[in-house]
């Protein structure tokens, strides 16, 4: 509840998404936990990437090798994004609810924190440490990354984590079409129509493996996003489908991939990410479905605990701003005390993880949470004005009341 009565009828967006009837929000809360842990894993991966030499070889203990696959966490983000966008549509006959409305919501949700993180990243890259070996960002970088064109037009990156944001924007553009195909032709047709051309492209091309600093090498992530969309239908399906042991099916699906990765090693795995990304897709989809349907209970309980759930609540901000922080600590602080290697990694990890988490929480309070709660600039301005009037009244200063009639209540929005 707002501390000031004039804002209670504001254009405020509830944090709970509008969900189909029969879908348990408490179970879906576990997905926030998954998102938070995936973002935290990416932070740890980047601590490793920028401190341990000879990557992707692992010069340290074998058990630390599990920290070297940050890309797979980003693939999981894209899968979860497709699922989250489709869950409401799945319970509504796979209807989008209006193209303009969808586009406006996505832009309002994604762009403000992204642009703020872009300014932050450019400042760090110009003043303290460049974001990549291609040098500091240029004026071209500002244009390309501001318009989310980084997957189509090359420019020196201001933040190495931004590559996936451009891809996600492209997938948002494709989402209405994917939803239409799912509604008209069904799940099998959608997956076949997206997967088969990508597989053929991989088989016919000499080198489709993603490479840092390159563009246009990510068509295989479209099936990942589409699989997330399709899997949302399971959550609203009949009980006999929902009650399948999706967590065990996920374990069975991922086991061969993990065995292959273990046998071949990290270097081979990263040279074949095109196929690895596709291979882990089914297991990721089934894990999401398992958690969304409440299994395994112990995992869902853990993911829904307050610290993990809260981490998921600002995971987007954590993903956006953590890398400049990691690079400052690893390239400008750790190097004064340690040579590249495990000592530098542990030093960077101990500093960068808590600093990134706290900074991301503060960042989200300013640049993310307000855009989740309020749907327009007018509503946001009225909320700020109302809050300012509230604090002025507490200090005994004259205030200007914001009439409730000036603001129109709106239905919930994702």
């Amino acid at each position: 509840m707002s501390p000031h009565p004039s804002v209670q009828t504001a254009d405020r967006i509830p944090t709970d998404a509008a969900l189909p009837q029969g879908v348990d929000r408490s179970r879906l809360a576990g997905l926030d936990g998954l998102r938070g842990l995936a973002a935290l894993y990416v932070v740890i991966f980047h601590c490793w990437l920028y401190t341990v030499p000879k990557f992707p070889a692992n010069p340290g203990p074998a058990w630390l090798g599990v920290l070297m696959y940050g890309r797979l966490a980003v693939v999981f983000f894209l899968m979860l994004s497709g699922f989250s966008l489709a869950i409401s549509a799945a319970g509504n006959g796979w209807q989008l609810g209006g193209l303009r409305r969808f586009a406006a919501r996505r832009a309002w949700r994604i762009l403000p924190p992204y642009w703020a993180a872009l300014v932050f990243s450019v400042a760090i890259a110009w003043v303290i440490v460049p974001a990549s070996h291609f040098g500091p960002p240029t004026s071209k970088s500002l244009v390309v990354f501001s318009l989310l064109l980084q997957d189509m037009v090359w420019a020196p990156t201001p933040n190495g984590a931004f590559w996936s944001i451009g891809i996600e924007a492209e997938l948002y553009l494709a989402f209405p079409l994917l939803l239409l195909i799912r509604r008209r032709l069904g799940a099998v047709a959608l997956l076949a129509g997206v997967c088969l051309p990508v597989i053929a492209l991989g088989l016919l091309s000499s080198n489709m493996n993603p490479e840092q600093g390159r563009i246009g090498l990510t068509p295989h992530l479209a099936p990942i996003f589409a699989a997330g969309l399709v899997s949302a239908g399971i959550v609203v399906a009949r009980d006999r489908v929902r009650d399948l042991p999706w967590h065990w099916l996920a374990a069975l699906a991922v086991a061969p991939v993990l065995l292959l990765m273990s046998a071949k090693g990290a270097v081979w795995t990263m040279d074949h990410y095109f196929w690895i990304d596709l291979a882990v897709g089914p297991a990721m989809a089934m894990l999401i479905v398992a958690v969304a349907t409440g299994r395994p209970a112990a995992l869902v309980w853990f993911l829904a605990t307050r610290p993990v759930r809260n981490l998921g609540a600002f995971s987007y901000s954590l993903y956006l701003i953590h890398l400049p922080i990691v690079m400052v600590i690893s390239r400008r602080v750790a190097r004064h005390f340690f040579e590249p290697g495990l000592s530098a990694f542990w030093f960077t990890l101990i500093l960068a993880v808590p600093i990134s988490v706290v900074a991301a929480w503060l960042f989200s309070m300013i640049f993310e949470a307000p855009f989740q709660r309020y749907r327009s600039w007018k509503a946001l301005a009225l909320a700020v004005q109302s809050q300012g009037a509230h604090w002025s009244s507490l200090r005994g200063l004259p205030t200007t009341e914001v009439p409730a009639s000036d603001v129109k209540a709106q239905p919930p929005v994702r």
Side-chain angles (χ1 to χ4, degrees), residues 121-370:
S121 301
V122 168
I124 295 295
W126 278 348
V127 176
I128 303 178
V129 55
S132 78
H133 58 273
F134 294 105
T138 63
S139 56
K140 179 182 178 181
S141 302
L142 297 179
V143 174
V144 168
F145 283 84
S146 293
L147 299 177
L148 294 170
L149 298 175
Q150 55 264 40
D151 190 48
M152 296 178 282
V153 180
W154 185 89
T157 182
N159 184 326
F162 282 176
W163 67 272
S164 67
I165 309 300
I167 293 169
E168 188 148 359
E170 295 167 7
L171 293 172
Y172 288 162
L173 295 177
F175 180 75
L177 176 60
L178 297 177
L179 210 59
L180 176 64
I181 295 172
R182 172 62 183 87
R183 184 170 71 249
R184 297 285 180 84
L185 302 178
V188 174
L190 172 59
L191 290 177
V194 176
C195 293
L196 292 180
V198 169
I199 292 172
L201 181 63
L203 292 174
L204 295 174
S205 302
S206 59
N207 179 24
M208 284 300 299
N209 193 58
E211 181 180 341
Q212 183 182 9
R214 298 287 297 278
I215 61 174
L217 295 176
T218 50
H220 66 297
L221 295 179
I224 297 295
F225 184 81
L229 184 158
V230 168
S231 64
I234 297 173
V235 179
V236 297
R238 291 172 293 181
D239 287 345
R240 68 176 186 177
V241 176
R242 289 168 48 87
D243 292 342
L244 289 173
W246 293 106
H247 53 303
W248 291 116
L249 294 174
L252 289 174
V254 80
V257 184
L258 294 180
L259 289 173
L260 180 64
M261 292 169 59
S262 177
K264 294 291 189 177
V267 176
W268 180 91
T269 297
M270 293 179 198
D271 284 340
H272 294 82
Y273 260 147
F274 182 93
W275 300 108
I276 294 296
D277 291 347
L278 292 174
V280 299
M284 289 180 175
M286 287 186 279
L287 173 62
I288 291 171
V289 170
V291 171
T293 54
R295 289 163 295 169
L299 175 61
V300 174
W301 172 85
F302 171 72
L303 293 172
T305 56
R306 181 174 295 181
V308 181
R309 187 178 70 246
N310 288 346
L311 182 64
F314 61 90
S315 58
Y316 181 47
S317 291
L318 180 59
Y319 183 80
L320 288 175
I321 71 167
H322 79 275
L323 190 50
I325 296 172
V326 170
M327 294 193 69
V328 168
I329 294 172
S330 63
R331 297 285 173 86
R332 291 292 183 264
V333 181
R335 72 173 187 172
H336 292 297
F337 303 98
F338 305 100
E339 294 295 324
L342 288 178
S343 296
F345 164 70
W346 289 116
F347 178 86
T348 301
L349 183 73
I350 291 170
L351 286 182
V353 169
I355 291 174
S356 295
V357 169
V358 172
W361 177 77
L362 293 172
F363 182 91
S364 72
M365 291 298 99
I366 301 171
F367 299 109
E368 189 175 1

Side-chain angles (χ1 to χ4, degrees), residues 4-6 384-403:
H4 198 275
S6 64
V384 172
Q385 182 181 351
S386 179
Q387 189 67 28
H390 170 67
W391 287 110
S392 295
S393 67
L394 292 180
R395 294 186 315 217
L397 299 176
T399 63
T400 301
E401 190 74 15
V402 181

Side-chain angles (χ1 to χ4, degrees), residues 38-121:
L40 185 63
Y41 178 83
V42 173
V43 179
I44 297 172
F45 162 72
H46 281 135
C47 292
W48 175 278
L49 178 65
Y50 289 101
T51 56
V52 178
K54 301 180 180 179
F55 180 87
N58 177 18
W63 65 271
L64 284 177
V66 299
L67 304 179
M68 300 166 60
Y69 303 102
R71 178 185 172 82
L72 295 181
V74 180
V75 172
F76 182 76
F77 284 140
L78 295 175
M79 173 79 71
L80 193 52
S81 179
F83 176 91
S84 300
L85 287 178
I87 188 65
S88 293
N92 189 35
W94 299 100
Q95 297 287 337
L96 180 63
L99 184 60
R100 180 179 297 180
R101 182 167 173 258
F102 168 77
R105 285 182 174 185
R106 285 293 87 199
W108 183 256
R109 173 68 181 89
I110 297 299
L111 291 178
Y114 170 75
W115 282 332
L118 177 61
V119 172
F120 171 73
S121 301

